Amino acid sequence: MLRGILTLRCPRCHRGPLFSGLLEMPERCPVCGLIYEREHGYFVGAMALSYGLAVGLVAILFFAVLALTHWSLEWVLLVASVAFLPLAPLCLRYSRAMWIYLDRRIDPHDAQDH
């Protein structure tokens, strides 16, 4: 499961990609045909995961900048926040991967099976 999340692969076949571009997801896995978005608004839960990842990354950046520079807290937070911006797409990608893997673990049946 962890390997599939880290490599951003289909939770069913572990071969198909979850993303076809930086942020674009195909409707289904090109290898096994698994529909990625089970219902409208399916990835709303991934937003909470993305928020958690973002807060964690900004905190790491904050303390790294603080340790290296000893600037005022306002400047450290500003620099850490700006340094996080290029990492934001990664948070989206990995939060969606975690969400789909978690959901498939809890309910492994496809929408067609219901």
Side-chain angles (χ1 to χ4, degrees), residues 62-77:
F62 177 87
F63 288 113
V65 171
L66 183 63
L68 293 172
T69 64
H70 302 290
W71 292 340
S72 70
L73 296 180
E74 293 84 8
W75 280 106
V76 172
L77 183 59

Side-chain angles (χ1 to χ4, degrees), residues 27-70:
E27 181 180 318
R28 55 182 65 234
C29 174
V31 176
C32 70
L34 174 70
I35 297 172
Y36 289 147
E37 190 170 355
R38 289 186 174 190
E39 60 191 10
H40 182 70
Y42 175 73
F43 288 109
V44 170
M47 289 172 36
L49 294 174
S50 181
Y51 178 75
L53 286 173
V55 167
L57 285 171
V58 169
I60 290 168
L61 290 168
F62 177 87
F63 288 113
V65 171
L66 183 63
L68 293 172
T69 64
H70 302 290

Side-chain angles (χ1 to χ4, degrees), residues 80-98:
S81 298
V82 170
F84 166 76
L85 291 177
L87 302 175
L90 290 176
C91 282
L92 179 132
R93 291 168 64 98
Y94 284 102
S95 66
R96 282 189 172 205
M98 287 187 291

